[in-house]
Structures are given as C-alpha cells and as structure tokens.
Amino acid sequence: MLNFRTLLVSAGATLATVAGASAADLPNYVPPPAAVYSPAPAYTWTGPYAGLVGGYGWGGGTAANSGWTGGGYLGYNLQTNQNLVVGLEADALFANKSGSNGTTTITNNFNGTVRGRLGYAVDRFMIYGTGGLAVGNLGSTAPSESTTKVGWTAGAGVEMALTDKVTGRVEYRHTDLGQFPSTGVNYTSNDILVGIGFKF
C-alpha cells in the first residue's frame, strides 16, 4: 500500500515537471520600446521671402503731403542665433501723395528702397529696425517739372509668422528725399505700412 507521503512527493514532482514544460513553451517577453519625446522644431526666420504691402503716408517738410502707398517687397533673413535676425530687403511702392506750400504743389507717385534689417525674434514674433537708401519720383506744378530724388529712410516694425510660410507685419518708416530742385521745397514722408509675406 502506497504511503501517503510518497504519493504527495510524486504529485509535487509531476506538477513541477508540467509547469517547467509549460514555461518553456511560452514566448520570451520583449518590453515595448520606450516613448521618445520629439518636440516640434523651433521656427526659423532664415530664408528668402517676398510680399505685398500697403498703407498711408503723411508728409512734413515745406510742402506737407499725404496719400496712400502700396507695392511689393522681397528680401532675405539670416537668424544668426536663437534671437538675432539680420537681413536685407528691397521694395517698390506706388503712391498717390500730394501737398502744397501755397506756391506749388508737390506730388509723389513712386518710391523704392534698399534697406538693412536688424531684428530680435522670440520664436514666431519679431521686432526689428530698418534703414537704408531711398529713391522717389517727385513732381511740381510751379514750375511744372518732375525729378527723381535719392535720400534715406529709416523705421521700425513688428512681424509675426502666421504659419510656417506666411508672415504678417506692421511697420513705420520715415523717408527724406531732400530738396526739390528749383522750388526750395523739402520733401519728407511718414508711412504706416501693413504687409503680408511668403517664405520660400
């Protein structure tokens, strides 16, 4: 007659054998790969761009002038570190400005500039200063003549990246084209310009 203790030991050995065989049949556990955090790349202002701009100007000098202006611009920005942006920009603007000093009326119908830009950017927002060469076409009624004058322009603005490729800006600029020949009239203009740009 089997001893109870012998029976118990045999049952335990059988269970251990079955459990070992079942464990050997199980696939090896491979933990899932750890999640990798990939933050969105920071926005960069570097690259070429072009845009459209329009606004209103009012004059100073000896023949105060006022009227609308609008046209296009193109340029290139280089973001040299996290915040500093340097660039070069040119524009061509048509205008409908006129002013009188009581003796003659001075008109301005075209302006162009080539300017440097220096900006401070915080991600998609930038404040900047700008300045450089200005060229403008001026006309007078007494005497009746027109001329192209070379002067300077300077200003400041804010610009924001609305998407990765589209930017919007608001800019103030002061332009001085000097004295109109034969009239003694000094021509200056202050312009508020609103623009939309497209990065290439």
Side-chain angles (χ1 to χ4, degrees):
M1 190 171 213
L2 287 175
N3 186 299
F4 179 73
R5 173 184 267 179
T6 302
L7 185 61
L8 189 61
V9 169
S10 298
T14 301
L15 285 174
T17 301
V18 171
S22 298
D25 293 337
L26 290 175
N28 291 331
Y29 174 73
V30 179
V36 178
Y37 174 65
S38 299
Y43 182 81
T44 177
W45 290 89
T46 296
Y49 60 90
L52 300 173
V53 66
Y56 186 82
W58 66 97
T62 50
N65 63 91
S66 61
W68 61 265
T69 185
Y73 62 88
L74 58 88
Y76 187 89
N77 285 325
L78 177 63
Q79 190 160 357
T80 60
N81 59 29
Q82 185 176 1
N83 301 110
L84 186 65
V85 179
V86 295
L88 183 67
E89 183 173 295
D91 62 18
L93 305 177
F94 294 98
N96 183 24
K97 298 179 183 178
S98 64
S100 176
N101 66 352
T103 302
T104 184
T105 296
I106 300 297
T107 60
N108 171 230
N109 55 31
F110 177 81
N111 296 286
T113 70
V114 177
R115 295 169 285 106
R117 295 210 308 168
L118 180 62
Y120 183 86
V122 179
D123 194 23
R124 293 173 176 264
F125 179 81
M126 178 171 63
I127 59 174
Y128 63 89
T130 184
L133 180 72
V135 178
N137 176 266
L138 301 178
S140 69
T141 58
S144 179
E145 61 181 3
S146 65
T147 186
T148 299
K149 292 287 293 177
V150 177
W152 59 270
T153 187
V158 294
E159 190 165 5
M160 176 172 284
L162 306 176
T163 71
D164 286 344
K165 296 294 184 182
V166 180
T167 64
R169 64 166 63 175
V170 178
E171 181 178 296
Y172 163 78
R173 205 185 303 163
H174 176 81
T175 302
D176 189 334
L177 295 179
Q179 192 176 85
F180 194 103
S182 76
T183 66
V185 173
N186 292 316
Y187 181 88
T188 63
S189 181
N190 302 284
D191 298 281
I192 297 294
L193 304 168
V194 178
I196 185 167
F198 306 90
K199 286 183 66 181
F200 302 137

